[in-house]
Amino acid sequence: MTAATSTGSLESGPGRHSRLWRVFWLQGVIPSNILWAIALWALSQQKVPLVLGLFAVLLLYTGWIIPAVWRAAPTARTPGLGVAARGLTVAWGLNTVLVVFFLTLQLVNQ
């Protein structure tokens, strides 16, 4: 049994999405944007404990999604898409860390 047949989701037929597509969009982009939307709403409502809790969740989530996308990248139909997904996810992760850091500093100084 090869690695491709043992995972089952690595092979994509016509009309089916690759494992990378599911990880990048359904587990990465959409949940991350939902978490950020809730965090920004909580920040605008000055709900500091909720904001700090969401920041912690975002940091943990970011630490989980980067390796998940990295592992799924080879399943892209086009190798360039796997490279792009890796780069975009790392950039999004760095952005998340920096924004959380600076918003937390701002909250602490209020």
Side-chain angles (χ1 to χ4, degrees), residues 22-105:
R22 287 189 293 275
V23 171
F24 184 82
W25 289 105
L26 300 179
Q27 296 175 5
V29 173
I30 294 170
S32 179
N33 279 295
I34 291 170
L35 284 169
W36 269 114
I38 296 168
L40 292 176
W41 171 82
L43 190 61
S44 72
Q45 300 298 313
Q46 299 178 352
K47 298 181 182 294
V48 175
L50 178 58
V51 170
L52 294 176
L54 285 166
F55 283 175
V57 169
L58 275 161
L59 291 174
L60 291 171
Y61 171 80
T62 299
W64 169 79
I65 196 63
I66 291 173
V69 169
W70 204 270
R71 286 189 303 269
T75 69
R77 291 184 185 158
T78 307
L81 292 177
V83 172
R86 284 176 171 172
L88 288 168
T89 304
V90 168
W92 184 268
L94 289 171
N95 184 61
T96 295
V97 170
L98 290 172
V99 170
V100 164
F101 174 74
F102 287 113
L103 287 175
T104 302
L105 281 179

